[in-house]
Amino acid sequence: MWFVGTAAVVWLDSRAHATFRTSFRLAGLAALAATVAVWWVAGDASAGGAYVSFAAAIVIWGWHEMGFLMGFVAGPRRAPCPPGITGMARFRAATGTVIHHELALAATVLVLFALCWGQPNQTAPLTFALLFVLRLSAKINLFLGVANLSDEIFPAHLAYLKSYFGKRPINVWYPVSVALGVAQVIWAWHFAQASAGGAAITAMLLVGLGALGVVEHLFLVLPLRDGKMWVWASATKPKTTAVRTATLD
């Protein structure tokens, strides 16, 4: 689901701008159906219920990613970073480019937890919350500076975001973010071993998702261009320079 879902978003986002509204609306209908599915199976503690909830959360996440990458939901600031600014001024400017999207993701986390409140199947809200945290962590790393931006497939209409990213071998947040990611994977693994049925399936799905998140964090500093994995999925094979998508991050 991670690989195929990312490839689908890359393909849709690389098509002509005239197709964006239709693609986003159809994906929105799919996300609405997925939200209903989350509510429908919230009381289902079986393995099947866990898989349905996980898939629904991924569909909803994909819709949000399309909204960001297509430029519908990003932030009030749509311009490159002003030259010479540093510290909190640079942070405020960078936050202004993505804050609407971050708020939309946070609101969706709250909605999913509300739909599943007091129910045995918490797969969807936990999956979406983990994706949100991983993505936010990757954004912080990109802002503070990493060695590998992996900028092959980010859309040209959002290329101004690259001006807000730092370029350095490593930053102070990076080792903390990787350590926390590994800790989440280990905790979820042990929880899965001590659980049964849908709870065990949910924990193992979070193990896999968390492990993928750690791998994507490692790509931030390794001399490997992970963005090239998605070039094949682009509908136009754009030659413009762009920035890392971090779809899972």
Side-chain angles (χ1 to χ4, degrees):
M1 289 194 68
W2 168 75
F3 190 81
V4 174
T6 301
V9 171
V10 169
W11 182 74
L12 289 169
D13 186 55
S14 63
R15 299 179 70 213
H17 279 254
T19 67
F20 282 6
R21 289 191 180 277
T22 299
S23 296
F24 188 57
R25 287 167 179 166
L26 292 176
L29 292 176
L32 180 61
T35 303
V36 173
V38 169
W39 170 77
W40 187 264
V41 300
D44 184 356
S46 69
Y51 285 124
V52 170
S53 293
F54 179 81
I58 297 297
V59 170
I60 298 168
W61 179 264
W63 176 62
H64 276 283
E65 282 298 286
M66 287 175 61
F68 176 72
L69 294 173
M70 291 179 175
F72 293 121
V73 184
R77 188 178 186 85
R78 305 285 180 111
C81 183
I85 65 170
T86 59
M88 285 303 299
R90 177 171 170 262
F91 178 77
R92 286 192 295 269
T95 300
T97 65
V98 295
I99 187 62
H100 292 164
H101 186 238
E102 301 306 315
L103 291 175
L105 292 174
T108 303
V109 171
L110 294 177
V111 169
L112 291 177
F113 272 111
L115 289 175
C116 299
W117 190 261
Q119 299 297 320
N121 186 354
Q122 297 290 320
T123 309
L126 290 175
T127 297
F128 200 93
L130 179 57
L131 286 167
F132 181 36
V133 171
L134 289 171
R135 192 181 197 280
L136 189 60
S137 174
K139 280 187 175 181
I140 293 172
N141 276 301
L142 289 168
F143 172 77
L144 294 177
V146 290
N148 180 19
L149 298 179
S150 196
D151 56 8
E152 289 81 7
I153 60 171
F154 206 74
H157 56 271
L158 295 180
Y160 64 88
L161 290 174
K162 186 178 180 180
S163 64
Y164 296 91
F165 293 173
K167 184 72 174 179
R168 64 183 66 180
I170 200 170
N171 64 74
V172 294
W173 169 246
Y174 182 80
V176 176
S177 62
V178 172
L180 290 174
V182 171
Q184 178 269 321
V185 172
I186 294 174
W187 178 85
W189 176 274
H190 284 292
F191 186 87
Q193 301 307 307
S195 305
I201 297 297
T202 296
M204 285 307 299
L205 289 169
L206 296 179
V207 167
L209 200 58
L212 286 171
V214 171
V215 169
E216 286 209 335
H217 274 63
L218 293 177
F219 275 125
L220 293 172
V221 298
L222 295 176
L224 300 171
R225 308 292 289 183
D226 64 314
K228 289 184 177 180
M229 289 192 298
W230 314 113
V231 173
W232 64 271
S234 175
T236 58
K237 307 297 185 299
K239 297 180 180 180
T240 53
T241 300
V243 290
R244 175 185 177 82
T245 61
T247 299
L248 258 184
D249 304 344

